Amino acid sequence: MNEQTKAIREQADRSQYREHSVPLYLTSSFIFDNAEQGRAIFAEEESGNVYSRYSNPNTTELINKVCNMEGAEAGLAFSSGMAAVFASFAALLKSGDHIVACRAVFGSTHQLFTKLFPRWGITTTYVDAGKPEDWEKAIQPNTRMIFLETPSNPGLELVDLEWLGKFKEKYPHIILNVDNCFATPYLQKPIPYGFDLVSHSATKYMDGQGRVLGGIVVGRKELIDELMFFIRNTGPALSPFNAWVISKSIETLGVRMDRHCSNALQVAQALEAHTDVEEVRYPFLPSHPQYELARRQMKAGGGIVTFVVKGGFERAKRFLDALNVILFTSNLGDSRTIATHPASTTHSKLSEAERIQLGIKPGSIRVSVGLEDSADIIADIEQALANS
Ligand SMILES: *Cc1c(COP(=O)(O)O)cnc(C)c1O
């Protein structure tokens, strides 16, 4: 079956009530039919649910859907994207290990690398995503993991997944780990290139309506088994309710992403033609420096557009205040269009020079393009430019 069909038809087993839509299994634990079954399940001779910190029919359904889409052997669901990303490191690394990561990582991931992991003797070297030769230089004898995000937030720089997959073949002991949240498995599949782990904040496009937090890690079964040990004993499990919400949303992920992408491309084109805009970044604009790569590894350009308004920091803030339809909130991947000003919010703690390295200028605006009519989104941007 086609992956979209599977994303829609994969469902927890029907109960004796013959329901059409999957029920919400809001239960902390599960009954054993008899003492022998309890023993066998605990001994892992028989599979079955025990306790919702371990597994639950709603989370299993969600995991199966994401595994199908990513082409992964196994997966696990977490209470948030950061719980997933954190577990993908913490379950597999030990004191003395080294990570090589692309410079533009999600803010909390950057905090893990720079504040938390050094306390545990785990060090990180950043490299510039677009310069493949730099990855080679950064590898040390104790490097255990390569971590990246592509496209990056908010600079929309890409990392060549095929190149990195081949590069890693020289280092079989290094785990290749990617946060695929921005692209979603619908637009980009790292596993066929040789990636070992793929993590997601399901809070973003997978839920797609800004309701619940969730996270997923999928990948090679032997690594997922180690993560399973970690999640069972540390407890960052996804709630069945959130799993149920996200799993339902995945039925519409493909059609939503098609619309996010076509709207985002139209917004990017309109911005590129606007005289008050200095620069526009969107992977599927031919002016993007990695346009060819984007066409090769992504099905479409994604839902995020970043642009720089003329007039810098103050103009960018006035632009946000002048928006009527587009909302100002720090989430992304929502059905409603969202705009943010990274220099004064998410990236305000960085120095100007650090921001420039990440592609953030004083006048940079990140737009998470929603599912509204594209003409209404563009009209709101144009009137806010005119009135700021
Ligand atoms: C939002 C986000 C995260 C963190 O996810 P939460 O669900 O908010 O914990 C991690 N990586 C990327 C790229 C994100 O956009």
Side-chain angles (χ1 to χ4, degrees), residues 4 7-8 65 69 186 205-209 211 245-260 371:
Q4 278 307 295
I8 291 168
K65 284 185 181 180
M69 281 187 287
Y186 181 70
Y205 291 105
M206 287 191 184
D207 170 33
Q209 288 143 89
R211 298 167 297 187
V245 169
I246 297 166
S247 185
K248 278 277 154 210
S249 271
I250 283 184
E251 294 181 16
T252 58
L253 181 67
V255 289
R256 284 186 290 109
M257 289 317 293
D258 284 342
R259 179 67 173 261
H260 278 297
L371 305 178

Side-chain angles (χ1 to χ4, degrees), residues 79-83 85 106 108-109 149 153 179 181-182 200-204 213-215 331-332:
S79 55
S80 70
M82 275 325 296
V85 171
F106 186 68
S108 293
T109 307
E149 291 177 22
N153 175 27
D179 180 339
C181 162
F182 263 46
H200 283 281
S201 168
T203 313
K204 311 295 168 53
L213 299 182
N331 197 22
L332 63 90

Side-chain angles (χ1 to χ4, degrees), residues 57-131:
N58 294 121
T59 54
T60 303
E61 178 189 287
L62 169 64
I63 291 164
N64 289 344
K65 284 185 181 180
V66 179
C67 284
N68 281 337
M69 281 187 287
E70 291 280 10
E73 290 171 3
L76 286 168
F78 295 83
S79 55
S80 70
M82 275 325 296
V85 171
F86 173 68
S88 78
F89 303 122
L92 298 165
L93 300 178
K94 61 180 188 320
S95 178
D97 284 348
H98 175 245
I99 303 167
V100 173
C102 66
R103 190 179 305 283
V105 292
F106 186 68
S108 293
T109 307
H110 174 70
Q111 299 297 335
L112 296 182
F113 290 159
T114 54
K115 305 264 164 57
L116 195 64
F117 290 167
R119 283 203 241 151
W120 299 343
I122 297 168
T123 52
T124 303
T125 302
Y126 280 133
V127 297
D128 286 320
K131 293 192 201 142

Side-chain angles (χ1 to χ4, degrees), residues 156-275:
L156 302 177
E157 261 196 37
L158 309 187
V159 180
D160 189 333
L161 296 174
E162 185 179 7
W163 184 89
L164 210 54
K166 289 207 183 100
F167 170 73
K168 196 222 102 135
E169 286 172 9
K170 287 191 275 181
Y171 306 98
H173 61 287
I174 295 181
I175 296 163
L176 206 45
N177 186 359
V178 55
D179 180 339
N180 200 26
C181 162
F182 263 46
T184 79
Y186 181 70
L187 300 181
Q188 171 173 285
K189 296 186 205 309
I191 287 178
Y193 295 117
F195 277 67
D196 302 299
L197 291 175
V198 179
S199 57
H200 283 281
S201 168
T203 313
K204 311 295 168 53
Y205 291 105
M206 287 191 184
D207 170 33
Q209 288 143 89
R211 298 167 297 187
V212 299
L213 299 182
I216 304 267
V217 181
V218 301
R220 257 172 48 213
K221 180 156 188 321
E222 61 176 281
L223 298 176
I224 296 297
D225 284 347
E226 288 193 52
L227 264 74
M228 175 100 76
F229 171 82
F230 180 87
I231 192 174
R232 285 186 167 195
N233 296 298
T234 60
L238 180 64
S239 90
F241 177 76
N242 288 8
W244 178 83
V245 169
I246 297 166
S247 185
K248 278 277 154 210
S249 271
I250 283 184
E251 294 181 16
T252 58
L253 181 67
V255 289
R256 284 186 290 109
M257 289 317 293
D258 284 342
R259 179 67 173 261
H260 278 297
C261 295
S262 68
N263 276 358
L265 181 61
Q266 290 172 63
V267 167
Q269 286 164 340
L271 285 166
E272 202 164 43
H274 202 288
T275 50

